Amino acid sequence: PIGAKVGPAATPDELVALAERLNPDRSPGRLTLITRLGASRVQELLPPLLEAVQEAEIPVVWVCDPMHANGFVTGSGHKTRRLDDVLREIEGFFAAHREVGTWPGGVHLEITGENVTECLGGSEAVLEEQLDTRYESLCDPRLNARQSLDLAFRVAELMRG
């Protein structure tokens, strides 16, 4: 199996060429395309990519990575993400698949069961001034246990819809 990250600069033609190169025999399950498009652009950018790969009849598993294209650095220097942006990208990912008639295959997240304060928002509303409280990430800010549950319930709703 091969996984390839797909960012906002990817064009339909480039993605088809990449998919053909990585999966020339069109073997189901061989290629996973991991989209990292951002909450504000996913519904604009993803449908043409889905359509192009579908028309080329290349079997892929589509996975949404809503964490990386939605990161930013606060004034205090903390790398963080807003849960609302992560959720909006996932919602856009599901909406684009419904629109095109393809299958959303998965979601990649950075999460922990710990009560960290690395990402903003959620039902317990981690605020920017609280990031110092339990910011423990050495690399990528993670959703804490409550934020992860908030997200899981929303993804379950999207899967039913």
Side-chain angles (χ1 to χ4, degrees), residues 45 60-61 63 68 79 81-82 85 98 114 139 144:
L45 298 174
V60 301
V61 175
V63 172
H68 293 279
K79 181 180 175 184
R81 302 167 171 123
R82 287 186 181 87
D85 293 338
R98 276 192 304 276
E114 302 297 319
C139 181
N144 64 31

Side-chain angles (χ1 to χ4, degrees), residues 24-118:
D25 297 328
R26 290 171 161 69
S27 302
R30 173 153 173 86
L31 181 59
T32 298
L33 296 177
I34 306 157
T35 62
R36 306 168 106 178
L37 302 174
S40 64
R41 302 202 55 210
V42 65
Q43 286 190 274
E44 162 202 350
L45 298 174
L46 187 55
L49 300 174
L50 298 172
E51 289 168 347
V53 173
Q54 182 181 41
E55 288 172 14
E57 298 181 350
I58 303 168
V60 301
V61 175
W62 291 96
V63 172
C64 177
D65 178 351
M67 303 298 280
H68 293 279
N70 294 303
F72 65 97
V73 177
T74 66
S76 63
H78 290 93
K79 181 180 175 184
T80 191
R81 302 167 171 123
R82 287 186 181 87
L83 177 61
D84 286 347
D85 293 338
V86 171
L87 287 169
R88 280 189 314 122
E89 183 159 352
I90 293 169
E91 289 165 354
F93 176 78
F94 275 83
H97 280 281
R98 276 192 304 276
E99 175 186 326
V100 174
T102 51
W103 185 255
V107 177
H108 166 81
L109 304 164
E110 276 84 33
I111 64 172
T112 180
E114 302 297 319
N115 189 26
V116 298
T117 55
E118 298 171 0

Side-chain angles (χ1 to χ4, degrees), residues 143-158:
L143 300 174
N144 64 31
R146 182 69 242 173
Q147 292 166 328
S148 299
L149 285 171
D150 293 344
L151 185 141
F153 281 113
R154 181 64 187 126
V155 169
E157 290 171 356
L158 291 168

Side-chain angles (χ1 to χ4, degrees), residues 114-133:
E114 302 297 319
N115 189 26
V116 298
T117 55
E118 298 171 0
C119 293
L120 303 174
S123 61
E124 293 180 0
V126 174
L127 305 173
E128 188 171 333
E129 55 270 13
Q130 295 172 306
L131 289 175
D132 270 336
T133 308

